[in-house]
Amino acid sequence: MTVWICRTCAVEQPDTVAPPGSCAVCSDDRQYVRPDGQRWTSMVELVAEGHRGSVAEVEPGLHGITVSPGVGIGQRSLLVRTPAGNLLWDPTGYVDDALEAAVRELGGVAAVASSHPHMFGAQVEWGRRFDAPVLVQDADRSWVQREDPCIQGWGESVEVLPGVTLHRIGGHFPGSAVAHLVGADGCNVLLTGDTVAGTPDEHWVSFMRSFPNQLPLSAAVVGRVADRVLALDFDRLHDNFGGRVLADAHTWVERSAERYIGWVRGDFDHLTEP
Ligand SMILES: [Zn+2]
Ligand SMILES: [Zn+2]
């Protein structure tokens, strides 16, 4: 049968003869269905179309994986390299033999995890190719469309590899998570997906219910998200689209949360009056 992949989000579906009627991820108010309707593809079709993956160093010990032309939401996955094996974070919705070989050259994949369901991508395909567990935060377990024995749940936090710990933060999804690690220079690094999203400024970050539909979170929720993130020790952060804060990230996340909360609470409404 065929493992169907949603054209819009690239999240894998069950192995069935016919594709599902709709994509649960894209039917949600955080995503969207394109004007021409729900469309499906498969990994075989994507390979035939000429998509290819590439790997590039983001910083020592951390590599980004991108697919061109883009597939689905088009995130940049991150490969965290450790002596005990590598974590594949926010897996792409595409993987072929050449991309698998490139990742094997960097030590392969010992575990797969994502910041939230929009980033599930081809997580089971990745997990199967590397015989690696796929970790899914318990609160978002119902968003898994393609079930597989390699999927494992986790709770509030889990040390997925020595020195690499996942933390549940919430906000964008109830199970939205970050990954905490120590960089090659000894500094603490946070991989935030879009639990905490970078901005073009490279200092400020943001927090959203929906990025494509531009739905904000409330002041109370962003306060809670900030409390959880700021309880962690980190010097820099990388999101899932190349957004980053390379210095004083803890301070900038705190400032960003205060700015955001001020706006959604109405502190600056006087600045918008016609
Ligand atoms: Zn979808
Ligand atoms: Zn998302």
Side-chain angles (χ1 to χ4, degrees), residues 30-31 73 115-119 172-173 176 193-195 208-212 240-241:
R30 282 161 286 202
Q31 260 284 112
I73 293 173
S115 57
H116 67 293
H118 291 151
M119 299 291 114
H172 180 51
F173 273 78
S176 277
D194 54 23
T195 308
M208 296 286 272
R209 162 79 180 171
S210 169
F211 291 88
N240 50 347
F241 282 91

Side-chain angles (χ1 to χ4, degrees), residues 188-200:
N188 290 293
V189 181
L190 214 55
L191 311 183
T192 60
D194 54 23
T195 308
V196 178
T199 70

